[in-house]
Amino acid sequence: MNAWSRLLALTRKESIQILRDPSALLIALVLPLVLLFLFAYAVSLDVRGVRFGIVVEREGAATTELLNAFERSEWLDVQVAHDRRELESQLVSGSLRGMLVIPADFESRLASADQQAEVQIITDGSQPNTANFAANYASGIFQTWLASRLTDEPGAIVVEPRFWFNPELDSRRVLLPGAIAIIMTMIGTLLTALVVSREWERGTMEALLSTPATTAEILLSKLLPYLVLGMAATVVCTMISLLLFDVPLRGSVGALLLLSFIFLLPALGQGLLISAIARNQFIAAQLALITGFLPAFLLSGFLFEIASMPAPIRILTMIVPARWYVEGLQTIFLAGDVWPLLGRDILILSGQGMLLVFLAVWNSRGGLDR
Amino acid sequence: MMASIHRLKTLLVKELLSYLRDPRTRLILIGPPLIQLLVFSFAVTLEVRNVDIAVLDRDTGRQGVELVEHLDAAAFTSTVRVVQSGEELEALIDERKVLLGVSVPEDFSRKIVNGDTVSLQLLLDGRRANAAQVSSSYVASVASAYSQQIGTQTQRTGILVRHWFNPNLLYAWFIVPSLSGVLALLMAMLVTALSIARERELGTFEQLLVSPFSATEIIIGKSLPAVLIGAVLGTVMVLAGVLIFRVPFTGNPVLLAITLPLFILSGVGIGLSVSAISTTQQQAILGAFAIIVPVVLTSGFATPVENMPQWLQWVSVVNPLRWYLVIVQGLFLKSLPAAEVFRNLLPLMCIAVVSLSVAAVIVRRKLE
Amino acid sequence: MSSELLGRAAACEAAMAVDIRGVVKRFKGVTAIEHLDAGIWPGQLTGLVGPDGAGKTTLMRIMAALMRPDTGTVSVMGHNVLDATALVHRCIGYMPQRFGLYEDLSVAENLDLYAKLKGIAADKRVDVFDRLYEFTRLQPFASRPAGQLSGGMKQKLGLACALMGSPDVLLLDEPSVGVDPVSRQELWRMVQALASEGMAVVWATAYLDEAERCESVMLLDKGSLLFNGEPQGLTSRLQGRSYRLSHIQGDRRALLSKALGLADVRDGVIQGASVRLVRAADMDVSSMQLLADQSGGQLELVAPRFEDAFIDLLGGGPDGRSAIAERMEDVATQRDVMVECSHLSKRFGDFYATRDVSFSVKTGEVFGLLGPNGAGKSTTFRMLCGLLRPTEGCATVAGFDLVRSTGQAKSQLGYMAQKFSLYGLLSVRQNLDFFSGAYGLRGAHRRQRIEEMIETFQLGDVLNVSPEALPLGYRQRLALACSLMHRPSVLFLDEPTSGVDPVTRREFWMHISGLVQKGVTVMVTTHFMEEAEYCDRIALVQQGQLVRLDTPDALKAMVASDELPEPTMEQAFIRLVEAHRDGVDA
């Protein structure tokens, strides 16, 4: 009974402090909006309007036809020249990402009996992703054009891709759920690490420890308000994603809240553990950045495919809680309540959460003797 | 004048020592960026490899089996799971056990042999949008290569694709030079953001104010060491790119030597303003953080600038990292000519001048 | 509160409140507490004194069950701190050295938090709060954030929180550091009242006049207990050895350093225009008398103080020489007035922190700026050394206007901040390098100055260590060395010995006295009245205005009366402040 009222008092104190600290509110309310906004607009994997050059060394009917096919494309932003040297320097300066060279003898060879004509595609390999896209896409246009000219179809295999969950392959739908994971990591890990290490730094921890309140109660009182703050941020971010950015929510709200709640355990546990080890704001911030924010950003799989990473780093991503959260979030938003998958994520996250919270309590136990 | 230069030297030495004397601070300054360079250079890739796929082979002929063998042998696949039903395939995708499923139709072998066109159905996981898009084109090229191999008709009109500057499209060649800029800027900004705030919290700032240093001297004394640290860090990472990751450096190193300090300087101006405004270290850390994240995201590091909406591309003109990335990538892979370097250096210089002037105004106001 | 406490006091009359047996505590091989046996009794105010690093805070933390002794046992109200931590926390109130309350929470919110933490039932809370508000007189500030309270009020709030739940044992770690004499007196009265009601109170302090008034004193040095008992027991050992030398012709500072050079003088301090001396135990008074005769002064026997005995027990005061002052050339100036301000005001919004203050400080004078917490003393001080820009009026240092000729003015002044602002990330040597360069010294001249400082302040052994790892005394010496590097003609000292023990304090003032004799002008702020005695003149600032400006002796004389013929500086301060406050109120 007493323990309960102590916990309540400490939680109340923590909540008042959050409401009065402008920097906590900045991280909890303003930055999520900015991040969501940036992930909606600034970070886009959808390659559109690639600046593409076409060198027409000699004009002719077929060449014009081919040119038209390229100009019709909504993915490429075509620019035409007659000498490849004109475009080469633009490729170096980065104002073109790729070009198609139609040689002078293209028309004549195409018209000849064996049809041995050839075009060349040159891309700017310094941007591998765009280069890859431009090459594939330009080849596709060319092949289609070629096929339309040929009367007799060859025995070809046509691939008909169907993208589930995200038919238009809108990267925003994938990135926004990921952005929520980053925001939650920040609230859970960075903010908690800072506020708890501030208590050590300012000596308020010493005064608290001399009262009947136990270490576990003190740490638990840090968890609760940030849990509420985190859940509030989830709801706000979800609303914005759904209403402003047209991300679908195919799963249930209940699953979303449950998953977020479970994710906050390891996130907060990590923050508490960092502050228990560092007890100094500068080091706590550095650690939170290196072990919390950056892995959530780069190793959680929302931006960069985990399968493509080398094996040691693939194993490393397993211990990043955000990885499992991102996986679950993307599923709930885009696919639905796939319980076999969500169940596994929730199990792993709660395991990580319990371990981290335990380690945090265990590390704070020594009191001032450390 | 001489006295001023001499005082400045003292201040510079002091600032540098306070970063480098303590082994722990030294470690925090140098260790994490290098570890991050190593981990992230491998991790950050938009290439697609090691993909698990599922195959539903409804065909009983030899050609269907051969196609599956070709997919299995392809560079981008890891495991190929053979499933018996459409439901099984869908469940595997739902649970993210495979990225894509190929279903080979019943009449596949017959049609191929007859020279008819067959269609191959591909189901992809749209939650992994980028990987799905890239691997669908990979499957298509495996299929067309296979059809050409068995086909009777040889296609004579062809395309020759050449990737300049990075013939094998190695992602590391793109990411390592870029990371050198991101991490050096991050460190330099964090260091400057803390510099004034820390002195203020520890009370040494007053001591500095009662001594004969002028506001300008304090600003220079706080900026130069951070520039030095950022530039050294950047250089170390560029060298690591050349020596460890074997990224070719084709441009003129002198041009990079001019660019790097200027680039860091523009970030330092921003960090210094944050530091002057903040009253505590916590505010400085969070403030710097709130700036670094948008800077990285709109720079063209994670995804290209041209993918952003036009108005945001205009906004990103004030982002120093954007211009630096163009120069460093150009100097590494494209032997970017001096004229091009200077064209991108110009906005960088403008940003540096503006951000430092703003910092000077804020610091001066705070000093009085 | 009283009846409840009295009842309990009777119940445990005989039992020890805290029983300390054979306690040893080491940190990384360094001994903090060495085999300590002691008892603390209910109903008593026990003083815990000792020089810096004696182990006072460690002992406090062990009693509060925040640290575990390596060997030995401590029991608090019969509960062992090792295994019954929860029970110990239930019966103690602890106030740590640093302000341990939440600055962004209001007074009422802080009290509420502690009431709940100590498990006070909701229906009793109103009652408890009323009594604590009455006790601390914090009621009018209930809704103010704790961070915006003055130093004295902060400590009262800390005490109120520690008192929550009527603890059996109250542990106060240096509660009076940074608190002005008026608030200090209030704090003291409050604690004394609690002890008389049966509470066991431990009060750790560096101020020995407080220790003298405790019922029992534990004197720690290097982790060992040198003395444990009634303070009179220690003071009486000094009977017949304390003297006052008054009516001195000539410089009393020079006289003091001469006196301290004598083999038979154990200790000495300046008290206004007089000098207080302690004779060594096995010597006679003859050479002291000779000195008195030479200076035309009167030597008279006075009652010993606890501080005399303390210094004696720790091996006596410094030898009276200041190596740094001896090496310094006289300040070359034709000016009579070194620091001057006229009609100085500073306004923050509608509030005047300083209002129309004018005075001038003569060359070679020690000028004290005193006042209660939050009276505007710091604002005035900060305007005088160029840290704040005055709203109205002007201030000059060595004739240079602080606003217009900032550079020249700054190069004339040396500044020592409250917490000895040194760079913890740099070594001692690098700190010296930095400050010498900052003031434009260079080349051989600079090297020579640094060497000189290292030698005179005995910093040779610690050159490669961070100042943060050093004891307070070293840090203070280093801070002084850094501020003297450029031979300033004016020295600004902001609470220079706050929380510093008497031995280190004496050493510090020896240097200052030496410098003054060379013509250096000193401006000092302090809450510590023993220190105020060293001043030639004192300006008393209250509610932003200059209310008194006179010599220490004249200020004391102002409040002298029949019942208080010889007031101490502290008494004088308290009465003058109260008189002014009443005058304004009336």
Side-chain angles (χ1 to χ4, degrees), chain A residues 34-52:
Chain A
V34 174
L35 266 184
L36 223 49
F37 181 79
L38 282 173
F39 277 106
Y41 290 112
V43 180
S44 168
L45 295 168
D46 309 335
V47 187
R48 283 200 180 87
V50 174
R51 292 185 300 268
F52 198 80

Side-chain angles (χ1 to χ4, degrees), chain A residues 227-242:
Chain A
L227 210 57
V228 173
L229 200 64
M231 292 309 284
T234 311
V235 172
V236 173
C237 291
T238 306
M239 300 287 276
I240 292 173
S241 306
L242 298 186

Side-chain angles (χ1 to χ4, degrees), chain C residues 53-320:
Chain C
K56 298 187 296 260
T57 296
T58 307
L59 183 60
M60 280 292 203
R61 286 176 170 172
I62 289 175
M63 289 193 283
L66 292 172
M67 273 185 183
R68 301 162 73 83
D70 295 340
T71 54
T73 58
V74 173
S75 60
V76 178
M77 301 308 286
H79 310 299
N80 191 326
V81 293
L82 283 178
D83 45 32
T85 317
L87 291 172
V88 171
H89 286 164
R90 229 166 279 257
C91 58
I92 62 159
Y94 171 59
M95 189 173 151
Q97 194 168 6
R98 281 193 294 173
F99 180 66
L101 299 172
Y102 296 95
E103 309 218 333
D104 39 3
L105 259 54
S106 71
V107 170
E109 282 161 349
N110 270 299
L111 284 175
D112 198 49
L113 172 67
Y114 275 83
K116 286 173 183 162
L117 290 180
K118 294 281 180 89
I120 295 175
D123 51 333
K124 288 194 189 144
R125 253 174 247 158
V126 180
D127 254 14
V128 173
F129 284 10
D130 280 347
R131 266 178 300 171
L132 283 172
Y133 276 140
E134 191 190 316
F135 197 47
T136 55
R137 288 193 252 152
L138 283 173
Q139 180 85 66
F141 310 103
S143 58
R144 188 184 287 190
Q148 289 170 23
L149 296 176
S150 72
M153 288 200 274
K154 273 185 188 172
Q155 297 302 77
K156 278 192 228 163
L157 176 60
L159 181 64
C161 288
L163 280 176
M164 202 62 79
S166 311
D168 301 298
V169 180
L170 184 62
L171 304 168
L172 309 171
D173 196 356
E174 306 215 4
S176 54
V177 168
V179 176
D180 70 71
V182 179
S183 312
R184 207 148 69 98
Q185 178 180 270
E186 285 179 20
L187 211 56
W188 181 261
R189 281 194 192 134
M190 282 157 60
V191 173
Q192 226 165 12
L194 293 166
S196 68
E197 286 169 7
M199 201 179 279
V201 182
V202 184
W203 175 295
T205 183
Y207 297 120
L208 296 181
D209 56 325
E210 287 172 358
E212 193 161 13
R213 283 183 279 166
C214 290
E215 282 146 277
S216 171
V217 167
M218 291 165 66
L219 201 164
L220 282 180
D221 186 32
K222 299 190 185 84
S224 305
L225 197 58
L226 292 192
F227 176 82
N228 187 5
E230 286 183 29
Q232 292 79 355
L234 190 63
T235 313
S236 60
R237 295 186 194 169
L238 268 279
Q239 201 62 50
R241 284 172 55 193
S242 299
Y243 296 87
R244 180 169 56 208
L245 183 53
S246 55
H247 301 98
I248 302 163
Q249 317 278 304
D251 188 358
R252 64 195 191 286
R253 295 197 178 91
L255 180 75
L256 174 65
S257 52
K258 208 188 274 177
L260 285 171
L262 298 174
D264 46 2
V265 172
R266 190 76 163 144
D267 180 30
V269 291
I270 285 177
Q271 279 189 322
S274 318
V275 168
R276 185 188 179 92
L277 297 170
V278 174
R279 180 170 54 82
D282 43 358
M283 300 287 190
D284 62 21
V285 77
S286 59
S287 57
M288 267 163 70
Q289 187 62 55
L290 189 69
L291 192 69
D293 294 344
Q294 280 169 356
S295 65
Q298 278 178 20
L299 190 68
E300 59 185 318
L301 204 59
V302 289
R305 297 182 314 179
F306 186 76
E307 183 160 333
D308 299 340
F310 178 90
I311 298 289
D312 186 55
L313 197 62
L314 291 173
D319 67 356

Side-chain angles (χ1 to χ4, degrees), chain B residues 6 21 199 203 206-207 209, chain C residues 382 410 415 423 430 441:
Chain B
H6 186 75
R21 192 187 85 93
E199 288 218 35
E206 292 197 348
Q207 196 80 55
L209 291 185
Chain C
R382 291 163 66 87
K410 279 179 176 175
Y415 176 80
Y423 288 99
Q430 288 159 349
L441 302 181

Side-chain angles (χ1 to χ4, degrees), chain A residues 45-283:
Chain A
L45 295 168
D46 309 335
V47 187
R48 283 200 180 87
V50 174
R51 292 185 300 268
F52 198 80
I54 297 179
V55 180
V56 182
E57 289 185 346
R58 183 179 298 161
E59 297 199 23
T63 315
T64 313
E65 225 179 282
L66 182 56
L67 206 60
N68 284 339
F70 270 91
E71 277 171 346
R72 271 197 302 275
S73 151
E74 53 170 318
W75 306 92
L76 300 180
D77 189 358
V78 175
Q79 180 187 340
V80 184
H82 294 286
D83 189 336
R84 60 191 287 167
R85 273 164 301 183
E86 275 178 52
L87 298 184
E88 276 174 5
S89 67
Q90 291 197 41
L91 205 60
V92 172
S93 73
S95 46
L96 280 184
R97 289 299 174 204
M99 60 186 190
L100 174 78
V101 182
I102 308 172
D105 57 0
F106 181 72
E107 291 277 341
S108 55
R109 280 183 174 234
L110 202 63
S112 72
D114 58 355
Q115 295 190 352
Q116 264 194 347
E118 194 177 64
V119 291
Q120 203 182 17
I121 293 174
I122 300 172
T123 68
D124 173 2
S126 72
Q127 301 270 339
N129 205 45
T130 315
N132 203 8
F133 172 84
N136 283 334
Y137 195 73
S139 313
I141 295 178
F142 182 75
Q143 297 281 13
T144 317
W145 171 77
L146 203 59
S148 71
R149 282 175 55 88
L150 294 172
T151 43
D152 50 341
E153 297 255 326
I157 303 174
V158 178
V159 172
E160 292 173 1
R162 260 176 62 206
F163 296 100
W164 271 16
F165 317 128
N166 187 6
E168 300 92 42
L169 278 185
D170 183 358
S171 71
R172 190 183 282 178
R173 294 184 162 195
V174 180
L175 291 179
L176 284 183
I180 296 181
I182 289 197
I183 291 164
M184 299 282 275
T185 306
M186 253 169 16
I187 294 177
T189 308
L190 183 64
L191 211 52
T192 353
L194 280 180
V195 294
V196 183
S197 50
R198 188 179 56 188
E199 293 238 13
W200 284 109
E201 234 176 52
R202 294 205 181 159
T204 46
M205 198 57 115
E206 188 175 345
L208 277 191
L209 285 175
S210 75
T211 69
T214 63
T215 317
E217 284 166 20
I218 294 171
L219 291 187
L220 209 56
S221 77
K222 298 276 170 195
L223 285 182
L224 295 174
Y226 290 97
L227 210 57
V228 173
L229 200 64
M231 292 309 284
T234 311
V235 172
V236 173
C237 291
T238 306
M239 300 287 276
I240 292 173
S241 306
L242 298 186
L243 300 177
L244 244 53
F245 298 122
D246 281 343
V247 178
L249 178 64
R250 302 217 168 89
S252 60
V253 176
L256 178 71
L257 293 180
L258 176 69
L259 184 74
S260 303
F261 179 81
I262 300 284
F263 169 71
L264 279 168
L265 294 181
L268 290 164
Q270 194 179 345
L272 291 180
L273 181 60
I274 288 172
S275 65
I277 295 169
R279 295 186 182 185
N280 162 309
Q281 289 188 63
F282 174 57
I283 296 180

Side-chain angles (χ1 to χ4, degrees), chain B residues 6-46:
Chain B
H6 186 75
R7 274 201 302 270
L8 203 54
K9 204 181 106 199
T10 313
L11 192 57
L12 288 179
V13 169
K14 178 228 124 193
E15 291 288 332
L16 276 178
L17 278 173
S18 62
Y19 295 127
L20 301 178
R21 192 187 85 93
D22 178 30
R24 260 187 35 219
T25 331
R26 218 157 44 204
L27 202 69
I28 277 254
L29 220 55
I30 295 163
L34 288 183
I35 294 170
Q36 284 166 31
L37 179 73
L38 288 179
V39 172
F40 299 144
S41 298
F42 288 115
V44 175
T45 170
L46 289 169

Side-chain angles (χ1 to χ4, degrees), chain C residues 503-533:
Chain C
V503 183
T504 316
R505 198 190 310 140
R506 275 171 174 62
E507 210 181 279
F508 178 78
W509 276 99
M510 235 34 259
H511 290 303
I512 300 299
S513 289
L515 293 169
V516 169
Q517 287 171 53
K518 295 281 179 175
V520 175
T521 310
V522 176
M523 289 283 302
V524 58
T525 71
T526 182
H527 282 312
F528 187 59
M529 292 305 120
E530 295 289 313
E531 201 159 70
E533 299 263 21

Side-chain angles (χ1 to χ4, degrees), chain B residues 2-3 6-7 10-11 14 17-18 21 25 198-199 201 203-204 206-213 368, chain C residues 382 385 387 389 410 415 417 421-423 425-427 430 433-435 437-439 441-442 446 464 466:
Chain B
M2 270 311 288
H6 186 75
R7 274 201 302 270
T10 313
L11 192 57
K14 178 228 124 193
L17 278 173
S18 62
R21 192 187 85 93
T25 331
R198 185 176 54 201
E199 288 218 35
E201 210 170 282
T204 46
E206 292 197 348
Q207 196 80 55
L208 213 56
L209 291 185
V210 294
S211 50
F213 291 113
E368 282 161 4
Chain C
R382 291 163 66 87
C385 52
L387 283 171
R389 197 181 268 264
K410 279 179 176 175
Y415 176 80
S421 313
L422 298 161
Y423 288 99
L425 287 169
L426 305 185
S427 70
Q430 288 159 349
D433 282 344
F434 172 67
F435 283 105
Y439 283 97
L441 302 181
R442 61 184 107 157
R446 176 182 184 182
N464 294 319
S466 154

